[in-house]
Amino acid sequence: MTCTNATILVVEDDSIIGQSLVDHFAEHNQVHWRKDIATAREAILVEAYDILLLDMHLPDGEGVDLLAMLHEAPGSPQAIIMTAFPEHQMAVRTIKMGAVDYLEKPFDLEDLDLVVSKAIHQAYQSQHTQLQQRTQHSPLDKIVGTSAEITSLKQIITTVAASPDTTVLVTGETGTGKELVAQAIHKLSPRSDRTMVRVNCAALPPSLIEAELFGYEKGAYTDAKRSRKGYVEMAAGGTLFLDEVGELPLETQSKLLRLLEDKTFTKVGGEKEISVNARVVAATNRDLETMMEERTFRSDLYFRLNVIQIALPSLKQRPDDIEPLLRYYLAHYAQRLGKEAPVPDEGIIRQALAYHWPGNVRELRNFTERTVLLGEFPSLLANATGSIPATETPRQHQLKTLAELEREHIIASYSQMERNKTRTAAALGINRLTLRKKLEEYGIRD
Ligand SMILES: Nc1ncnc2c1ncn2[C@@H]1O[C@H](COP(=O)(O)OP(=O)(O)OP(=O)(O)O)[C@@H](O)[C@H]1O
């Protein structure tokens, strides 16, 4: 059995054996050869090898030293040990350390082929299993928190998701995770193989909202040269997420009510009734009951939307989640930005618990991104509502220099504008070139 298309690293100080291995595998595989541990180590840190053919006795150490650091290598290659001095104990030790096989020199190239092919097969199988495990993560994993509120939220999401036609109303302050909940409901539901179409009702101009939602027929407007599908039709079979539903104009509210009751609608400028089967998840941070009293939100629509209501508590109302969220997002941004995350100490946790987080989890998330970029925790003292115990470090009370303030402000704006240089420069009132110079000057990476 010859092995093909593998990436193999040979670590062998004997030139004759090393060269013969390279010659043997090079025709059908990519083979690299290193003669000592130091250069082999460098190689496996940059290249994802499938197979490592490792001699036991090398000029700068023992092969086991390299085995010990394999877990740092991308994709961890399958290691096969080669030795001229077979010792039972050493064989057991290397297998325990993760080597997949052990060959005594001199060996037959046919035997070597067998061992390598078996190892490659194992490698592909384990990569496949890892990939499956990664993709099998539940959408609920994205909802971080250990509070009783989050635990019961996950249960409600699971129950609601299983009932694919039920309309859901998600309420809560800005940044509490309403969209995250809608996504989890969709992904856990039998509709997950279709799309979830998100419509931000607050972002659409009232004059266009009906056409955007329900589509229009040719000739409905002077510019309407062809008929067009709206978001409702695009969500057929899947989920229609109506974010900021409280912003819908009254006329559009009636049309939405009909959609919810009969599952039908007509396009703007059209007469034909179109049926559509989509689950509606609506979200709002407005008080719809007050809006009903003020007659700006239809009560029949409210009751039709409010079949199941999921009310998300503010972050301040569930302090148990603050620390887990801080740690989760610090690790997330450290990995994403390739930086080390500062570790939150007791003082920071106390500040975070005392702070009132008006922007809820979104604000906490942006705070952690800024922290990772800055390499230190920005102070939360200015907006803290509770009293903070007197163990603050003096550094937190020191006045900042203008340069420090400018750097923090640029980082905050850059992260708020999702690292879009044009928009950040516009928001800061400077040109793009100046922004780039400042980003460089302050060591802020793209
Ligand atoms: N429990 C949570 N665990 C992890 N991340 C969360 C959680 N809740 C919210 N987030 C994150 O916070 C950010 C804001 O969440 P989301 O957009 O879902 O809030 P929202 O309530 O829809 O806000 P808005 O009303 O402003 O549209 C997102 O990045 C989201 O991933």
Side-chain angles (χ1 to χ4, degrees):
M1 206 188 317
T2 333
C3 106
T4 55
N5 292 330
T7 317
I8 302 174
L9 177 65
V10 174
V11 186
E12 170 66 70
D13 59 336
D14 181 313
S15 299
I16 294 172
I17 300 179
Q19 192 58 57
S20 71
L21 289 171
V22 172
D23 293 345
H24 179 69
F25 287 111
E27 198 183 338
H28 300 293
N29 305 277
Q30 195 185 342
V31 192
H32 296 162
W33 175 18
R34 298 289 182 275
K35 293 183 175 174
D36 55 33
I37 293 184
T39 54
R41 188 173 190 277
E42 278 168 22
I44 66 167
L45 284 177
V46 287
E47 179 83 52
Y49 291 99
D50 299 310
I51 297 291
L52 170 66
L53 290 173
L54 179 60
D55 185 19
M56 262 296 102
H57 302 289
L58 291 152
D60 55 348
E62 296 294 316
V64 282
D65 300 336
L66 197 61
L67 265 189
M69 51 110 4
L70 274 193
H71 60 275
E72 295 169 43
S76 289
Q78 306 280 301
I80 296 164
I81 307 298
M82 312 176 291
T83 179
F85 312 99
E87 301 157 31
H88 177 70
Q89 271 184 337
M90 185 55 95
V92 173
R93 189 166 160 224
T94 55
I95 298 290
K96 274 193 179 157
M97 289 176 73
V100 290
D101 226 319
Y102 195 87
L103 281 171
E104 288 179 24
K105 288 180 190 168
F107 44 74
D108 225 318
L109 286 176
E110 260 181 42
D111 286 346
L112 176 66
D113 276 342
L114 264 179
V115 170
V116 169
S117 298
K118 199 174 103 198
I120 293 221
H121 182 68
Q122 277 175 4
Y124 290 163
Q125 262 192 336
S126 91
Q127 279 164 16
H128 182 69
T129 319
Q130 273 175 19
L131 202 67
Q132 269 191 334
Q133 280 169 350
R134 227 177 295 151
T135 49
Q136 270 169 7
H137 275 170
S138 161
L140 295 176
D141 295 348
K142 285 194 169 169
I143 303 179
V144 178
T146 50
S147 64
E149 288 88 344
I150 290 291
T151 312
S152 81
L153 172 68
K154 290 186 179 182
Q155 278 167 0
I156 296 169
I157 291 175
T158 312
T159 311
V160 170
S163 159
D165 293 325
T166 306
T167 305
V168 187
L169 177 64
V170 192
T171 58
E173 290 175 12
T174 181
T176 44
K178 297 184 291 297
E179 185 171 350
L180 201 59
V181 167
Q183 277 164 355
I185 293 175
H186 173 72
K187 286 199 185 132
L188 285 172
S189 79
R191 296 179 178 274
S192 62
D193 56 340
R194 298 297 185 90
T195 46
M196 178 174 103
V197 176
R198 173 182 182 254
V199 185
N200 183 351
C201 304
L204 295 172
S207 55
L208 290 183
I209 203 159
E210 204 166 314
E212 290 288 329
L213 268 179
F214 299 101
Y216 53 81
E217 291 294 0
K218 183 177 164 189
Y221 309 100
T222 12
D223 285 348
K225 305 266 184 281
R226 278 186 288 157
S227 77
R228 223 189 89 174
K229 273 188 186 178
Y231 291 124
V232 170
E233 223 174 329
M234 289 180 206
T239 303
L240 178 67
F241 175 48
L242 296 176
D243 204 358
E244 318 267 12
V245 74
E247 308 305 319
L248 280 182
L250 280 166
E251 315 84 76
T252 319
Q253 290 180 24
S254 342
K255 212 160 169 176
L256 176 61
L257 178 66
R258 187 173 137 216
L259 176 75
L260 290 170
E261 288 186 331
D262 311 338
K263 301 209 173 300
T264 60
F265 68 96
T266 46
K267 289 185 176 178
V268 174
E271 283 169 12
K272 199 172 76 181
E273 275 203 345
I274 302 172
S275 301
V276 69
N277 170 9
R279 180 215 292 260
V280 172
V281 178
T284 185
N285 52 26
R286 302 277 300 268
D287 179 352
L288 293 185
E289 293 186 10
T290 309
M291 288 182 73
M292 279 191 307
E293 283 164 19
E294 291 166 352
R295 302 196 179 275
T296 48
F297 201 82
R298 289 182 65 126
S299 52
D300 43 8
L301 177 60
Y302 174 76
F303 294 117
R304 193 61 198 75
L305 283 175
N306 197 17
V307 180
I308 298 281
Q309 185 175 149
I310 300 181
L312 297 179
S314 68
L315 188 54
K316 191 72 190 150
Q317 285 169 323
R318 46 189 176 99
D320 286 355
D321 293 337
I322 291 178
E323 188 173 342
L325 277 163
L326 268 181
R327 293 190 188 279
Y328 174 83
Y329 276 121
L330 283 168
H332 169 87
Y333 283 113
Q335 197 200 23
R336 196 164 131 191
L337 303 170
K339 291 194 166 214
E340 214 163 291
V343 181
D345 59 17
E346 263 184 52
I348 289 300
I349 305 283
R350 259 196 304 269
Q351 275 192 35
L353 287 171
Y355 183 64
H356 66 298
W357 298 108
N360 294 291
V361 187
R362 181 181 291 113
E363 187 183 359
L364 180 143
R365 185 179 175 155
N366 292 342
F367 169 78
T368 55
E369 183 178 9
R370 255 195 332 269
T371 303
V372 175
L373 278 168
L374 287 168
E376 63 176 1
F377 287 92
S379 174
L380 285 168
L381 289 174
N383 295 306
T385 47
S387 64
I388 297 172
T391 49
E392 300 307 329
T393 59
R395 163 90 185 114
Q396 282 153 344
H397 294 291
Q398 271 168 20
L399 280 177
K400 295 198 169 156
T401 64
L402 272 180
E404 277 176 326
L405 283 174
E406 180 176 85
R407 181 170 187 265
E408 283 189 17
H409 187 57
I410 290 177
I411 286 175
S413 315
Y414 196 37
S415 110
Q416 201 178 334
M417 296 294 162
E418 288 159 341
R419 286 207 262 293
N420 179 316
K421 290 198 186 70
T422 310
R423 287 199 290 132
T424 311
L428 293 172
I430 54 178
N431 67 35
R432 234 173 143 262
L433 193 67
T434 313
L435 175 67
R436 278 192 35 203
K437 278 194 191 139
K438 294 216 174 270
L439 291 173
E440 260 175 47
E441 183 187 329
Y442 291 133
I444 305 163
R445 289 193 348 190
D446 283 354

